[in-house]
Amino acid sequence: MGTNGNIIRKKDLGFWQSIYVPEILKGLRLTITQMFKPKFTYEFPEVRFKPPEVFRGRPVLVEENGVERCVACGLCSRVCPALAIEVQAGETELAKERYPIKFEINMVRCIFCGFCEEVCPEEAIIMSNEYLLAFNNQVEAVFGKEKLLKSAAEMRPRLEWLKVNR
Amino acid sequence: MDTTFVLLSIAKIAVVWGGVLTGAAILVLAERRISAWIQNRLGPNRVGPFGLLQSAADVVKLLFKEDIVPTAANRFVHDFAPMISITVALTTFAVIPFGDTIEAFGQNVKLIVADVNIGMLYILALTGIGVYGITLAGWSSNNKYSLLGGLRSSAQLISYELSMGLSIIGVIMISGTLRLDEVVMHQTAPLAHSMQKLPSWLQWLIPVAGWLPSWNVFFQPIGFITFVVASFAETNRLPFDLPEAEPELVGGYHTEYTGMKFGLFFLSEYANMITSSALITTLFLGGWHLPFAESWGLSPFALSLVKIGTFFVKVTILVVFYIIVRWTLPRFRYDQLMRLGWKVMLPLSIANILATGLLLLWWS
């Protein structure tokens, strides 16, 4: 039976406990003190939660010197458990040789697991702190490169955090 | 019956109904906000300043909802039950004096809608009718949860009406009248007057407590506690809200009610809260009486307003107490409810009558 052995029987109660009223007053004191404690609620549209670096918001592509870090290896697309990422590789003249012609994340499918970030050898795809993701239709929810690219300077806190914690 | 009397009565009815209905609407909001504060939340604060228009929005929503009546329900009784509830809730206030007298239209107007000499009996009778609203609602819905809720409500009301009536008897014995404004008048004298007759070894109490007003709560502490507990049970408020215990009975007697018919039950619950707070104030806490208010040298009109304000503040405090208690105490089990009603409250209130009688005999 799921008992923890601490059942209070009626015979265990003292006189003041068994006439209820002082116990009721004790309970009332607790609730009344709780009433005047500070509240933790964020009044959402006006005050917004600023997530710390650990937060896994929507994934973004890091852009450095005007070009994405991504080498289009396709590991993120491979590891993605929700099959949300689609990468098409192309050749480039730069030292890194390959770049993604097309990089799409379907934000309706994304489950914010962070596997893409973990698997990426170039620290090219990382989780940002953006969490306001509501869409009117499915087409709007597919983020292409133009929405995914963020400069390395902007993503600095997360990159610093990744250096220490990964 | 002259015209001024009719006009004055209509004016008083308008004031009382306006007050009770507005109060009930604000209470719905107050309940939600206070419960939120107790749980370290903010509560509804978006509709209007401080969320004050939330109840208006809720009423508009309820009015536009579809009125669903179950096919197997007794349609007439199903429609009739909320009417009983709201009628009782709105008429009980008639005999409660919400102020002393006020100068208006060249005459002294008593601030009480129906100045009847059986005020307390009237209230007890009406709360007795009020249970029909809930029980019939439960029966006519043809739903086992509703029926259980209705049955529980009638059992609970019968058990607690006894101790409620018996705890009022102590007050009646002291004040010697059933007229509620005379009960209030009786409480306005300072306590020192009635303390003159104390035995010599208790005379030292006069300078200590003699300045207190002679509110019945000081003469009838046990009657006060039993009456307050019984009023909680009568208004179906937690810890005695067994007729609508959500975890066991879905919605209790109003499971099958939608739209404004549900709204009427909701409204009558809150109106009943106001009425029973007003009754507790009148019977035990001196009604509109504010100690030392007469000695401030106010004009009669201002004094009347101060007295109405005092009544309002006392009722507000009691209503907030009702709400805080709801969010503090867990619900009684059915057998615990019955044990408390029959084995604790009933003997206690009978003993209280006996003690009051003996003391009165020795006093006079």
Side-chain angles (χ1 to χ4, degrees), chain B residues 4-48:
Chain B
T4 28
F5 175 77
V6 175
L7 285 177
L8 275 173
S9 294
I10 291 173
K12 283 189 279 194
I13 290 170
V15 168
V16 167
W17 274 12
V20 171
L21 287 174
T22 324
I26 290 170
L27 264 189
V28 177
L29 176 74
E31 170 108 52
R32 293 179 63 185
R33 293 221 68 181
I34 290 175
S35 70
W37 291 335
I38 287 172
Q39 298 161 356
N40 296 335
R41 295 182 289 116
L42 290 173
N45 59 355
R46 290 283 153 161
V47 193

Side-chain angles (χ1 to χ4, degrees), chain A residues 10 20-21 24 27-28 31-32 34-35 37-41 43-46, chain B residues 34 36-38 40-42 45-46 225 321 324-325 327-329 332 339-340:
Chain A
K10 198 149 196 281
Y20 293 134
V21 178
I24 290 173
L28 285 174
T31 39
I32 290 170
Q34 286 295 324
M35 261 175 84
K37 290 243 172 97
K39 313 288 180 277
F40 305 108
T41 316
E43 298 225 39
F44 168 62
E46 295 92 34
Chain B
I34 290 175
W37 291 335
I38 287 172
N40 296 335
R41 295 182 289 116
L42 290 173
N45 59 355
R46 290 283 153 161
I225 291 171
F321 174 70
I324 295 176
V325 164
W327 298 98
T328 305
L329 300 178
F332 276 87
R339 194 201 294 129
L340 183 70

Side-chain angles (χ1 to χ4, degrees), chain A residues 59-139:
Chain A
V60 294
L61 286 177
V62 182
E63 187 180 31
E64 221 168 14
N65 308 325
V67 64
E68 66 280 281
R69 277 180 177 179
C70 180
V71 294
C73 63
L75 276 174
C76 48
S77 157
R78 180 88 184 149
V79 81
C80 183
L83 307 179
I85 306 177
E86 190 186 340
V87 194
Q88 268 176 30
E91 300 283 325
T92 172
E93 302 303 310
L94 295 169
K96 64 173 191 170
E97 292 181 5
R98 268 153 58 98
Y99 81 107
I101 299 170
K102 177 181 170 193
F103 197 107
E104 275 182 2
I105 302 183
N106 188 339
M107 290 313 298
V108 176
R109 307 205 69 155
C110 178
I111 57 168
F112 307 94
C113 60
F115 282 7
C116 45
E117 176 191 55
E118 232 172 278
V119 82
C120 185
E122 302 285 324
E123 276 192 348
I125 181 165
I126 62 169
M127 309 303 276
S128 68
N129 60 3
E130 287 171 34
Y131 54 89
L132 293 177
L133 297 160
F135 311 105
N136 290 321
N137 53 60
Q138 302 243 340
V139 181

